[in-house]
Amino acid sequence: MHIAILGGSFNPVHNGHLQIAKTALKKLPVQEVWFMPSKDTPLKETALASFEDRCELLEAAIKPYKHMKICKLEGKLEGISYTIHTVEELKKRYPQHSFCWLIGDDQARQFDAWKESKRLKKEVEFYVFSREGSSILPEGMKRVSMDLIPVSSTEIRQGKKLYEVPVSVRLKIAEKGLYFEETIRQYMNEKRYRHSLSVAQLCVALASAHNLNTEKAWKMGILHDICKQMPYEISKIWMRHHMPFHMNEAPAIWHGYIGADFVKRQLDVRDKDVISAIYHHVLGDGKSSYDKILFIADKLDPSRGYDSSEQIELCKMNLDLGFKRVKKEQQEYLRKEGTLQ
């Protein structure tokens, strides 16, 4: 069997990758396309989601396509993922198959920097997927012309162009909370980002103290202020369209309502506990333990610059008592600010 290998970090996989695989099956003399996720990426500095998580996203993406498979070989190899080593190992493990390698125009431009690139071209045939008339190819490579989908994994990690990710993959990303740290950076300044990280850490500590799900706690903490710095005019439009029943409340507390709606609509978060905690975190009017934890963590965040250690310890020992005390202090503060009547 002649098999095309599509390698990459797939951090995460998106429709552009699937389009290349579909085109290869249609235009090249291959029977299958194997996605080869790298364990690491020698020419990239971006932090990767775990190999296992990226494979799980790939499995969700290719499930509808019977001629697409995942090859986890690079996850089993020692050291850095160099293509020359992978090709040698493929030939050794699968002598009954022949292979070709699929790359994009950007990878072709970097090809001379690949380890043992000259020998690599002799070991396996390369097909470059790009628009007709784009950059000159390295010697010996063949072009497969196609209109590429203008999307990158970087954009996906930033929460952009999520429509170019299969729904099954988007739901997995949201379920696992992958890339949320990178996503929230696009919506807030550095100070707010640091606050969100600190709140997430405190949520995890409080959840752990009360035997609750720490993954839920981290997600609600990292996402709780994603709409805090949304411009007022945009916030007003969002409120008017999606939750007009809260329009009479002070704009200073809108970001909790909008944030809960935003993570559901834009980031495909489906966890009701996470959504509820974000929704109620400003006023602390939620009833679940997760609602209380996020409210507490937001108000007692150590990065705010005052010593909240005594209150945090109380909340770890007795969540309800700690919540009541923190809420009472918060209500007094809001009355002084004129936010709460």
Side-chain angles (χ1 to χ4, degrees):
M1 186 183 294
H2 193 44
I3 296 167
I5 302 294
L6 181 56
S9 59
F10 304 111
N11 190 40
V13 62
H14 53 66
N15 288 341
H17 300 127
L18 294 175
Q19 182 197 35
I20 289 175
K22 291 175 187 177
T23 304
L25 288 167
K26 183 178 180 180
K27 292 188 174 184
L28 300 181
V30 299
Q31 286 71 56
E32 291 184 348
V33 173
W34 289 4
F35 286 77
M36 179 80 71
S38 58
K39 186 167 59 176
D40 44 39
T41 47
L43 298 181
K44 292 185 179 180
E45 297 180 357
T46 304
L48 296 176
S50 74
F51 182 79
E52 293 74 19
D53 282 339
R54 287 180 286 124
C55 285
E56 193 170 338
L57 298 181
L58 271 169
E59 286 167 359
I62 69 172
K63 188 176 181 180
Y65 308 104
K66 65 178 181 179
H67 296 296
M68 297 183 194
K69 307 285 173 59
I70 300 175
C71 180
K72 300 181 181 181
L73 176 62
E74 289 198 354
K76 302 171 185 176
L77 299 179
E78 296 293 329
I80 298 174
S81 299
Y82 289 115
T83 303
I84 185 64
H85 298 155
T86 303
V87 170
E88 290 172 341
E89 196 64 27
L90 275 171
K91 290 184 174 183
K92 187 187 303 181
R93 295 192 183 205
Y94 304 101
Q96 73 276 28
H97 298 318
S98 59
F99 300 95
C100 62
W101 210 272
L102 314 180
I103 62 175
D105 203 33
D106 55 339
Q107 292 170 303
R109 288 193 295 269
Q110 290 183 308
F111 189 77
D112 287 342
W114 290 27
K115 187 177 180 67
E116 299 188 57
S117 58
K118 291 182 180 179
R119 183 163 75 88
L120 183 55
K121 283 193 290 185
K122 295 177 182 178
E123 291 288 334
V124 68
E125 191 172 25
F126 279 85
Y127 289 95
V128 181
F129 287 71
S130 62
R131 292 182 177 85
E132 189 66 49
S134 52
S135 60
I136 298 174
L137 301 183
E139 184 180 356
M141 293 188 179
K142 297 179 181 179
R143 188 189 308 278
V144 179
S145 297
M146 62 179 289
D147 290 326
L148 299 172
I149 295 175
V151 63
S152 69
S153 292
T154 299
E155 289 174 309
I156 303 304
R157 293 194 302 273
Q158 293 174 347
K160 304 171 184 176
K161 296 188 178 180
L162 293 177
Y163 53 84
E164 292 295 2
V165 179
V167 172
S168 58
V169 176
R170 293 206 312 264
L171 292 175
K172 283 285 183 186
I173 289 172
E175 176 189 328
K176 291 176 168 291
L178 299 176
Y179 314 118
F180 281 174
E181 286 186 35
E182 197 163 340
T183 297
I184 66 169
R185 293 196 88 137
Q186 311 308 308
Y187 297 95
M188 58 186 67
N189 60 27
E190 187 66 19
K191 182 178 179 181
R192 181 63 50 187
Y193 173 70
R194 293 295 168 192
H195 165 70
S196 297
L197 290 179
S198 184
V199 168
Q201 291 168 357
L202 183 51
C203 282
V204 168
L206 291 169
S208 179
H210 295 285
N211 298 313
L212 295 170
N213 188 310
T214 54
E215 289 185 8
K216 286 179 188 277
W218 183 85
K219 281 191 276 190
M220 66 193 193
I222 204 72
L223 293 172
H224 80 286
D225 267 355
I226 194 167
C227 293
K228 175 77 171 181
Q229 294 180 316
M230 179 182 282
Y232 171 72
E233 290 302 323
I234 297 177
S235 297
K236 188 164 66 171
I237 292 170
W238 195 292
M239 292 290 290
R240 186 179 296 126
H241 278 274
H242 299 300
M243 43 196 68
F245 42 88
H246 283 307
M247 282 293 291
N248 63 332
E249 297 182 41
I253 63 177
W254 286 356
H255 69 279
Y257 306 136
I258 297 173
D261 195 50
F262 182 91
V263 300
K264 183 167 58 175
R265 293 176 184 274
Q266 302 297 116
L267 303 183
D268 295 288
V269 174
R270 294 290 182 266
D271 190 311
K272 293 181 180 179
D273 289 326
V274 172
I275 294 169
S276 174
I278 295 171
Y279 185 92
H280 293 290
H281 86 270
V282 182
L283 296 179
D285 51 354
K287 297 181 180 179
S288 78
S289 294
Y290 293 103
D291 295 340
K292 294 173 183 177
I293 283 174
L294 181 54
F295 177 78
I296 291 167
D298 184 35
K299 305 307 177 283
L300 301 186
D301 167 26
S303 74
R304 288 187 182 276
Y306 57 85
D307 184 7
S308 56
S309 57
E310 184 177 333
Q311 293 161 296
I312 290 173
E313 288 307 310
L314 171 62
C315 293
K316 286 181 178 180
M317 290 187 292
N318 189 318
L319 183 62
D320 289 333
L321 181 60
F323 171 73
K324 289 177 182 177
R325 182 173 297 181
V326 174
K327 185 172 181 179
K328 181 180 178 182
E329 293 173 357
Q330 176 66 5
Q331 287 176 330
E332 290 173 357
Y333 169 78
L334 291 176
R335 286 192 183 94
K336 288 180 182 178
E337 294 293 310
T339 304
L340 189 68
Q341 301 301 319

